[in-house]
Amino acid sequence: MRHDFASDNTAGLAPEALAALIAANAGAVSSYGSDAITARTADLIRERLQADAEVRFLISGTAANALALAMLARPFESVLAHEHAHIVTDETGAPGFFGQGLGLTRLAGAHARIDPEALKAALAEPEPAYVQPPGALSLTQATEYGALYSAEQLRHLIEPCKLKGLKVHMDGARLANAAAAGFDPADVARLGVDVLCFGGAKAGAGAVEALVIFDPKLARRVDHRIKQAGQTASKARLLTAPLMGLLESGAWEGHAAHANRMAQRLAAGIKARTPFPLAHPVEASLVFVRMPADAHDRLLASGWAASDFSDGSIRFVCSWATTAESVDEFVEALAKVA
Amino acid sequence: MRHDFASDNTAGLAPEALAALIAANAGAVSSYGSDAITARTADLIRERLQADAEVRFLISGTAANALALAMLARPFESVLAHEHAHIVTDETGAPGFFGQGLGLTRLAGAHARIDPEALKAALAEPEPAYVQPPGALSLTQATEYGALYSAEQLRHLIEPCKLKGLKVHMDGARLANAAAAGFDPADVARLGVDVLCFGGAKAGAGAVEALVIFDPKLARRVDHRIKQAGQTASKARLLTAPLMGLLESGAWEGHAAHANRMAQRLAAGIKARTPFPLAHPVEASLVFVRMPADAHDRLLASGWAASDFSDGSIRFVCSWATTAESVDEFVEALAKVA
Amino acid sequence: MRHDFASDNTAGLAPEALAALIAANAGAVSSYGSDAITARTADLIRERLQADAEVRFLISGTAANALALAMLARPFESVLAHEHAHIVTDETGAPGFFGQGLGLTRLAGAHARIDPEALKAALAEPEPAYVQPPGALSLTQATEYGALYSAEQLRHLIEPCKLKGLKVHMDGARLANAAAAGFDPADVARLGVDVLCFGGAKAGAGAVEALVIFDPKLARRVDHRIKQAGQTASKARLLTAPLMGLLESGAWEGHAAHANRMAQRLAAGIKARTPFPLAHPVEASLVFVRMPADAHDRLLASGWAASDFSDGSIRFVCSWATTAESVDEFVEALAKVA
Amino acid sequence: MRHDFASDNTAGLAPEALAALIAANAGAVSSYGSDAITARTADLIRERLQADAEVRFLISGTAANALALAMLARPFESVLAHEHAHIVTDETGAPGFFGQGLGLTRLAGAHARIDPEALKAALAEPEPAYVQPPGALSLTQATEYGALYSAEQLRHLIEPCKLKGLKVHMDGARLANAAAAGFDPADVARLGVDVLCFGGAKAGAGAVEALVIFDPKLARRVDHRIKQAGQTASKARLLTAPLMGLLESGAWEGHAAHANRMAQRLAAGIKARTPFPLAHPVEASLVFVRMPADAHDRLLASGWAASDFSDGSIRFVCSWATTAESVDEFVEALAKVA
């Protein structure tokens, strides 16, 4: 089975990440994140976000999101999120585990962007003691269906939440792709996001996501929180060096831009060569098509992995490792199973 | 500050681990642990333990221990553990977090080996509804003070627990050092341990510990459990390849044997050249000395990191990366601050 | 505001319950549930259910349900329940709190009876590690919309779950009403329910619900579990005596039969005197009507409390304390606001 | 077995409590705490404490304490408490369950009063990320060994905690006895306690404890918190009316004063008629004696219940129901078994 387009996690470390890891591996340095490489990586992220913030490194995106939500909302509250958000559909209820029963309120919206009207309705719901009222809003940039929020769209979602005292989380697992597509990472802080999960793995690093905490009060004893949750890497430099390598070299965005271009090439090929309609606009690195079940079966039978998503469409993903040749080859394979 | 002897986590990936990582990095493979490298690593662990078992890979030793304990005991029960066990003193209460309030009952014993009499007394305690009765026993091999349990000693601890229906966990963060010192890893299953945390990081890998589940009933839906707890690596091969490299090459034990020899050399040097008494027998890779506070201060001032432990002694650790030269240099430094 | 028809909890202790409480109050007896009155109440419940079972007394229906679910499913699993079940809509996410993130999977079905096809579909869902697969089924008898399950209907829901290894919970907050309407409580055990919450408060007692555990293995250390969850009454007799009084006198069912009759009278009056259609069949003590918002407003303005439910209908409840006169008076009030 | 002196929970409702319950039982009132009796009870508590505060009613002292601690400290923090505090020794780890792993740090001190030096040492401990640093202090007034803190003693414990940002909890299960012995309840707020558990059950009510929250920020959405934790009484008036009856009549303190006097009489009898030394000063309603095991056995054999405590002494408790005759009879029994 070929996994080229199955996920952003089927690719390994990008060359800049691997080189930085190899370089960082030498010698003895202090452990548990008190090393210079980890400090430098945090600096690079603050620079990239143009914001002062506490930055920590976790070893799982699921944990980063869930821990962030547990910081922002309490067990008897809920998090407003898109009904197809990764935290809702793909994390085995981790927000409830880390958040001790924290609820999730599912909101509708095209292309996994939360519909402002759906949000408004949720915020207007009465809050008797027997329901979990909203404590936080979770946004994903780029969205799980490969769409982008504009800064203006984010503002329209964030502002009414802030007015009601909600905190705001952003899942930035594909923030690099959003940045490469024109979203300014400096807007994250400007718009009032409280905690950002700054993606590493999908951008070409290994098991690392940065937790970026803009409100210093929230960061009190965050190292204790992270340690208790089993998210403190002992040999931290091995996690952070690859991300440092990507950020220092500009490859964090450069690779994402490449992945976005490959997604455009794939979408164009699909339009030109297959009858399969695109299910969502292709604004980042993800391509979704509507494909009959038998065509999907033939695709799998022909040796390419690809799975269906919450809305029934089939997802293909481009990454730093995707080549134009493999895109063209894959388009041929899709054309054949049509 | 030189971190050579401060921890086993101040060294990077051992050469065999790094080489395997570089080799594994190429190409696209399936994610979340369904790849061939991860499968091969699990096979190698089963071979090494001479036991059939479910093997999974987690990205933190703290999480591996805490998750294992949450599998073995319930929130209203407690885990019997040595009062200086890592789970008691160094994991920010992670067993209570993963185990929803699961208690820890602290037992005494020399060199962090649980005293069988202390265990017996704990098992004989009445169990009214207002206390957390013991649900599991946790053992560490090698112990946190660098001592070894013999198989016979383990049997005397495990048997009375099994008779009372308790489950048994083993923290094997330094199992490689124990194996290199003569403990047969096949005894883990033979003696009735239910879940073993098989150490990777301290043995020369990166952020990886294997959860080894001997009782298949306990393994039901364990992948869901691990995912929910934020311990599933997306690019799993990057975690498991280094451990595979160590196991395939024999370096998992080879490096541990080296570390143990370096600890002996260090202990011998300390005895010969300093007035500092050893606080614990040196049976694995750890050396503990009793050192006046001012001598410790001078050691730090001279540029070597080393911290004091629960019993007030100062710990020095040898790893795969420790050289005879650095040991000798460190002995000189110790002699100077005496 | 008159609360006569607003809830079953607006009535106090039924006379038999109060008399038993007053009688039980005298003298010093052992605390925390080891007294003779508590033992006798448990015996009466076992008799009523014609089953051997462990019986414990909790002080909240929400806690009884949530604790039962935490016994039956694990944090990374979900509970299949009707989308309008009390545990889903009215308990502030308590199952997730007691169950450490335990999920709820909402199933459709008319009148809050789970549709067997919806259940079948849920059981047939794939179970990748990133979702919470079903660990238990929760049923409510009588349902939240005042309907009854027949034994045959229950069997068709329970059997496929048991075949897949799921456990079964029954919320019997209104089991007395179901029993009075013809459901045989002995069927609860016969059909394979694992844990039943046997209702006390709505039947005329105070803050007491019985946790009935049919599988002795599940009951291991249940007293510890209950105590840790803050559900052990110190002066237990004050909780159990009222329930004992109801069960010994036959009033547990007798009052429920009265409440059911009053609901029939109310439904008949509504049909005869108002234009409001009944939203659900009246099979127990609950009456739901579809009522325009302005009529509901006028009803509140005229001094009667009554609130809308998940499906938009307005709920009226009869209890042991409801009189024929108050029903007739209420029908007049409804006729006036029409 | 006679339970007269075994616990404060072996007595039923005091006459004033029962009378108020009977009076409150009539008629239909709104449920879940929105009734006038519950509001009146809260007013009476605010008056008694001479403080503005949010007051809620829970149905278990264990839950009241654990929920309060979960409000005041986070899972990766610990609560400083006396090593023999009820929350430490008698609540099955409930603080860890409600507090998601929240730790307990045990402090020494005579008569279950925390030693200020022990507190000082705990506050001076380093706080590396791998330990649970203190987030709150828990005090019990009167203490578990029947001693009183003076306002001055409390101040010396509370002030250094406040300076370090810790929150303060008071377990007032026997606050009535402390008040009757001269402690001014108005000092609770004055001294800076953040949350008080105001005892009902031991004072002569049933299953009811008031949660008194002095900081309004902490009270945000507290009704949701209480409901989720299964501590909201549906028929709330049945819980609050007895406490209202005690407070309105002055019996809350009057009965406590009686219990304290009975404890003095018992202590005097023991001193005069038995060789058993008192283990703790008798300042409230508890009497502790040192008694050989065989004498304790003979006491039980002679038909009187009484159990040993954490420090090995035997506890006898007086309550509103204790009569001078029963004290004298009990002294005789003690004299006989000596």
Side-chain angles (χ1 to χ4, degrees):
Chain A
M1 185 73 72
R2 293 186 59 176
H3 291 274
D4 309 42
F5 295 90
S7 160
D8 349 34
N9 295 316
T10 62
L13 295 168
E16 300 83 355
L18 183 57
L21 171 61
I22 293 170
N25 193 55
V29 304
S30 67
S31 48
Y32 294 108
S34 57
D35 62 282
I37 290 165
T38 299
R40 170 80 182 129
T41 314
D43 283 342
L44 288 165
I45 289 174
R46 280 185 285 262
E47 270 176 40
R48 197 64 206 82
L49 298 170
Q50 293 174 39
D52 200 22
E54 291 291 325
V55 178
R56 295 297 186 281
F57 298 94
L58 275 65
I59 42 190
S60 143
T62 292
N65 283 331
L67 207 92
L69 296 175
M71 292 169 70
L72 300 176
R74 295 175 296 172
F76 44 92
E77 297 177 327
S78 80
V79 173
L80 304 177
H82 192 277
E83 61 188 331
H84 293 166
H86 203 264
I87 59 167
V88 173
T89 61
D90 289 84
E91 302 187 354
T92 324
F97 179 78
F98 283 83
Q100 202 186 9
L102 177 63
L104 293 172
T105 300
R106 293 149 176 81
L107 303 180
H111 316 312
R113 285 192 207 102
I114 294 173
D115 177 352
E117 290 307 307
L119 175 65
K120 205 171 147 186
L123 292 173
E125 283 284 315
E127 302 185 357
Y130 55 83
V131 304
Q132 289 175 288
L137 169 71
S138 178
L139 299 162
T140 308
Q141 176 77 320
T143 76
E144 286 79 3
Y145 285 128
L148 244 67
Y149 284 108
S150 69
E152 206 49 30
Q153 286 172 326
L154 290 172
R155 188 186 319 279
H156 280 116
L157 295 170
I158 292 172
E159 272 181 4
C161 288
K162 290 275 168 168
L163 281 172
K164 282 209 66 169
L166 278 72
K167 299 284 185 184
V168 179
H169 161 255
M170 182 174 280
D171 179 348
R174 293 193 188 91
L175 186 65
N177 301 101
F183 175 72
D184 183 355
D187 277 336
V188 176
R190 260 182 232 134
L191 289 164
V193 168
D194 294 288
V195 179
L196 164 71
C197 296
F198 181 99
K202 294 180 201 297
V208 66
E209 307 285 309
L211 194 71
V212 183
I213 307 165
F214 296 102
D215 177 350
K217 262 183 296 184
L218 288 171
R220 186 164 182 256
R221 289 180 171 166
V222 69
D223 292 315
H224 298 81
R225 187 192 284 270
I226 293 171
K227 174 66 180 169
Q228 188 186 45
Q231 289 292 320
T232 307
S234 51
K235 300 178 172 182
R237 62 172 152 168
L238 301 183
L239 268 74
T240 50
L243 186 51
M244 184 186 73
L246 294 172
L247 288 163
E248 277 199 325
S249 64
W252 185 74
E253 265 171 311
H255 283 319
H258 169 80
N260 291 0
R261 280 193 303 271
M262 291 299 103
Q264 289 298 339
R265 184 182 188 103
L266 177 55
I270 288 168
K271 278 193 217 171
R273 301 287 315 280
T274 81
F276 307 136
L278 296 177
H280 300 289
V282 178
E283 299 176 0
S285 59
L286 308 177
V287 179
F288 290 81
V289 300
R290 303 238 168 254
M291 188 185 254
D294 58 341
H296 187 203
D297 290 347
R298 282 193 297 271
L299 182 67
L300 298 175
S302 73
W304 295 84
S307 54
D308 53 339
F309 262 62
S310 305
D311 71 342
S313 63
I314 310 295
R315 187 187 75 166
F316 309 131
V317 190
C318 297
S319 76
W320 68 267
T322 306
T323 62
E325 292 70 35
S326 71
V327 169
D328 297 345
E329 188 185 355
F330 188 51
V331 169
E332 286 311 302
L334 288 169
K336 257 187 217 154
V337 303
Chain B
M1 185 72 72
R2 294 187 60 176
H3 291 274
D4 308 43
F5 295 90
S7 160
D8 350 33
N9 295 316
T10 63
L13 296 169
E16 301 82 355
L18 183 58
L21 171 61
I22 293 170
N25 193 54
V29 304
S30 66
S31 48
Y32 293 108
S34 56
D35 63 281
I37 289 165
T38 300
R40 171 77 181 131
T41 314
D43 283 342
L44 289 164
I45 289 174
R46 281 185 285 262
E47 269 176 40
R48 198 63 207 81
L49 298 171
Q50 293 176 41
D52 200 20
E54 290 290 325
V55 178
R56 295 296 186 281
F57 298 93
L58 274 64
I59 40 190
S60 142
T62 292
N65 283 332
L67 207 94
L69 295 175
M71 294 170 68
L72 299 177
R74 295 176 296 171
F76 43 93
E77 297 177 327
S78 80
V79 172
L80 304 176
H82 192 277
E83 61 188 328
H84 292 166
H86 202 263
I87 59 166
V88 173
T89 60
D90 289 86
E91 302 188 355
T92 324
F97 179 78
F98 284 83
Q100 202 186 8
L102 177 63
L104 293 172
T105 300
R106 293 149 175 83
L107 303 180
H111 316 312
R113 285 191 207 103
I114 293 173
D115 176 353
E117 290 308 307
L119 176 65
K120 204 170 148 186
L123 291 174
E125 283 285 314
E127 302 184 0
Y130 56 82
V131 304
Q132 288 176 287
L137 169 71
S138 178
L139 298 162
T140 308
Q141 177 77 319
T143 77
E144 286 79 2
Y145 286 128
L148 243 67
Y149 283 109
S150 69
E152 205 49 28
Q153 286 171 325
L154 290 172
R155 188 187 319 280
H156 280 116
L157 295 171
I158 292 173
E159 271 180 4
C161 289
K162 290 274 169 172
L163 281 172
K164 281 210 65 171
L166 276 72
K167 299 283 184 184
V168 178
H169 162 254
M170 181 174 280
D171 179 348
R174 293 195 187 91
L175 186 66
N177 301 101
F183 175 71
D184 183 354
D187 277 336
V188 176
R190 260 183 232 134
L191 289 164
V193 169
D194 294 288
V195 178
L196 164 70
C197 296
F198 181 100
K202 293 179 200 300
V208 65
E209 306 286 308
L211 194 72
V212 183
I213 307 164
F214 296 102
D215 177 349
K217 262 183 297 184
L218 288 172
R220 186 164 183 258
R221 289 180 171 167
V222 70
D223 291 315
H224 298 80
R225 187 192 285 269
I226 292 170
K227 173 68 181 166
Q228 187 186 45
Q231 289 292 321
T232 306
S234 52
K235 300 179 173 181
R237 61 172 151 166
L238 302 183
L239 269 73
T240 50
L243 186 51
M244 184 186 75
L246 294 172
L247 288 162
E248 275 198 327
S249 64
W252 185 74
E253 265 172 309
H255 283 317
H258 169 79
N260 291 0
R261 280 191 306 270
M262 290 300 101
Q264 289 299 338
R265 184 184 189 101
L266 177 55
I270 288 167
K271 278 194 218 172
R273 300 287 316 280
T274 82
F276 307 135
L278 296 178
H280 300 289
V282 179
E283 298 176 359
S285 57
L286 307 177
V287 178
F288 290 80
V289 300
R290 304 238 166 255
M291 188 184 255
D294 58 341
H296 187 202
D297 289 346
R298 281 193 297 272
L299 182 66
L300 298 175
S302 73
W304 296 84
S307 53
D308 54 339
F309 263 60
S310 305
D311 69 344
S313 62
I314 310 294
R315 187 187 77 165
F316 310 131
V317 190
C318 297
S319 76
W320 68 266
T322 306
T323 61
E325 291 69 36
S326 69
V327 169
D328 297 345
E329 188 185 354
F330 188 51
V331 168
E332 286 312 301
L334 288 168
K336 257 186 217 154
V337 303
Chain C
M1 186 72 71
R2 294 188 57 177
H3 291 275
D4 308 43
F5 296 90
S7 161
D8 348 34
N9 295 316
T10 62
L13 294 168
E16 301 84 352
L18 183 58
L21 171 62
I22 292 169
N25 193 55
V29 304
S30 67
S31 48
Y32 294 107
S34 56
D35 63 282
I37 289 165
T38 299
R40 171 79 181 128
T41 315
D43 283 343
L44 288 164
I45 289 175
R46 278 184 287 262
E47 270 176 40
R48 197 63 205 82
L49 298 170
Q50 294 174 39
D52 199 22
E54 290 292 324
V55 178
R56 295 297 185 282
F57 298 94
L58 274 64
I59 41 191
S60 144
T62 291
N65 283 331
L67 206 93
L69 295 175
M71 293 170 69
L72 299 177
R74 296 175 294 171
F76 43 93
E77 296 178 326
S78 80
V79 173
L80 304 177
H82 192 278
E83 61 189 328
H84 293 165
H86 203 264
I87 59 165
V88 173
T89 60
D90 290 84
E91 303 187 355
T92 324
F97 179 78
F98 284 83
Q100 201 186 9
L102 178 63
L104 294 172
T105 299
R106 292 147 174 85
L107 303 180
H111 315 312
R113 285 190 206 104
I114 293 174
D115 177 351
E117 290 306 308
L119 175 65
K120 204 170 145 187
L123 292 174
E125 283 285 314
E127 302 183 358
Y130 55 83
V131 304
Q132 287 175 288
L137 170 72
S138 177
L139 299 161
T140 309
Q141 175 78 316
T143 77
E144 285 79 3
Y145 286 127
L148 245 67
Y149 284 107
S150 70
E152 204 51 26
Q153 286 172 326
L154 290 172
R155 188 187 317 280
H156 281 115
L157 294 171
I158 292 172
E159 271 180 3
C161 288
K162 290 276 170 170
L163 282 172
K164 281 209 65 169
L166 277 71
K167 299 283 185 186
V168 179
H169 161 254
M170 182 175 279
D171 179 348
R174 294 194 187 90
L175 186 66
N177 301 100
F183 174 72
D184 183 354
D187 277 336
V188 176
R190 261 182 231 134
L191 288 165
V193 169
D194 294 288
V195 179
L196 165 70
C197 296
F198 182 99
K202 293 178 201 298
V208 66
E209 306 286 308
L211 193 71
V212 183
I213 307 165
F214 297 102
D215 177 350
K217 261 181 299 183
L218 288 172
R220 184 161 186 259
R221 290 180 169 166
V222 70
D223 291 316
H224 298 80
R225 188 193 284 271
I226 292 169
K227 174 66 181 168
Q228 187 186 44
Q231 289 293 320
T232 306
S234 51
K235 300 178 172 182
R237 63 174 152 167
L238 301 183
L239 267 74
T240 50
L243 185 52
M244 184 185 74
L246 293 173
L247 287 162
E248 276 197 327
S249 64
W252 185 75
E253 264 170 312
H255 283 317
H258 169 80
N260 291 359
R261 279 192 306 272
M262 290 299 103
Q264 290 298 337
R265 185 182 186 102
L266 177 55
I270 287 168
K271 276 193 217 172
R273 300 287 317 281
T274 83
F276 307 136
L278 296 177
H280 300 289
V282 178
E283 299 176 359
S285 58
L286 307 177
V287 178
F288 290 81
V289 300
R290 304 235 167 257
M291 185 183 256
D294 60 340
H296 187 202
D297 290 347
R298 282 193 297 271
L299 182 67
L300 298 174
S302 74
W304 295 85
S307 54
D308 53 340
F309 262 62
S310 305
D311 71 341
S313 63
I314 310 296
R315 188 186 77 164
F316 310 132
V317 189
C318 297
S319 76
W320 69 266
T322 306
T323 61
E325 293 68 35
S326 70
V327 169
D328 298 346
E329 188 185 353
F330 188 51
V331 167
E332 285 312 301
L334 288 168
K336 256 187 220 156
V337 303
Chain D
M1 185 73 69
R2 294 187 58 175
H3 291 274
D4 307 43
F5 296 91
S7 161
D8 349 34
N9 296 316
T10 63
L13 294 168
E16 301 84 352
L18 183 59
L21 172 61
I22 293 170
N25 193 54
V29 304
S30 67
S31 47
Y32 295 107
S34 55
D35 62 282
I37 290 165
T38 299
R40 171 81 181 126
T41 316
D43 283 342
L44 289 164
I45 289 174
R46 279 184 287 261
E47 270 175 41
R48 197 65 205 80
L49 298 170
Q50 293 174 42
D52 199 22
E54 291 290 324
V55 178
R56 296 296 185 282
F57 298 94
L58 275 63
I59 42 189
S60 143
T62 291
N65 283 331
L67 207 92
L69 296 175
M71 292 170 69
L72 299 177
R74 298 176 293 171
F76 43 92
E77 296 177 328
S78 80
V79 173
L80 303 177
H82 193 277
E83 61 189 329
H84 293 166
H86 203 262
I87 58 166
V88 173
T89 60
D90 289 85
E91 301 186 356
T92 326
F97 179 77
F98 283 83
Q100 201 186 7
L102 179 62
L104 294 172
T105 299
R106 293 150 174 81
L107 303 180
H111 316 311
R113 284 191 207 104
I114 293 173
D115 176 351
E117 290 306 308
L119 175 65
K120 204 171 148 187
L123 292 174
E125 283 284 315
E127 303 184 358
Y130 55 83
V131 304
Q132 287 176 290
L137 170 71
S138 179
L139 299 162
T140 308
Q141 176 78 317
T143 77
E144 286 79 2
Y145 286 126
L148 243 66
Y149 283 108
S150 69
E152 205 48 30
Q153 287 171 324
L154 290 173
R155 189 187 317 279
H156 280 116
L157 295 170
I158 292 173
E159 271 180 4
C161 288
K162 290 276 170 171
L163 281 173
K164 281 209 64 169
L166 277 72
K167 300 283 184 185
V168 179
H169 161 255
M170 181 175 279
D171 179 349
R174 292 192 187 91
L175 185 66
N177 301 101
F183 174 72
D184 183 353
D187 277 336
V188 176
R190 260 182 233 135
L191 289 164
V193 169
D194 295 287
V195 179
L196 164 70
C197 295
F198 181 100
K202 294 179 200 299
V208 67
E209 307 286 309
L211 194 70
V212 182
I213 307 166
F214 296 102
D215 176 350
K217 261 182 300 183
L218 288 172
R220 184 161 185 260
R221 289 181 170 165
V222 70
D223 292 316
H224 298 82
R225 189 192 284 270
I226 292 169
K227 174 65 181 168
Q228 186 186 44
Q231 289 294 319
T232 307
S234 50
K235 300 179 172 182
R237 63 173 151 165
L238 301 182
L239 267 73
T240 50
L243 185 51
M244 184 187 72
L246 294 172
L247 287 162
E248 277 198 326
S249 63
W252 185 75
E253 264 172 311
H255 284 317
H258 169 80
N260 291 358
R261 280 192 304 272
M262 290 299 104
Q264 291 298 336
R265 186 183 187 101
L266 177 55
I270 288 168
K271 277 192 216 168
R273 301 286 317 281
T274 83
F276 307 136
L278 295 178
H280 300 288
V282 178
E283 300 176 0
S285 58
L286 308 177
V287 178
F288 290 82
V289 300
R290 305 237 166 255
M291 186 184 255
D294 59 341
H296 187 203
D297 289 346
R298 282 192 297 273
L299 182 67
L300 298 175
S302 74
W304 295 83
S307 52
D308 53 341
F309 262 61
S310 305
D311 70 342
S313 64
I314 311 293
R315 187 187 75 166
F316 310 131
V317 190
C318 297
S319 76
W320 68 266
T322 305
T323 61
E325 292 70 35
S326 70
V327 169
D328 297 345
E329 186 185 356
F330 188 51
V331 167
E332 286 312 301
L334 287 168
K336 255 187 220 154
V337 303

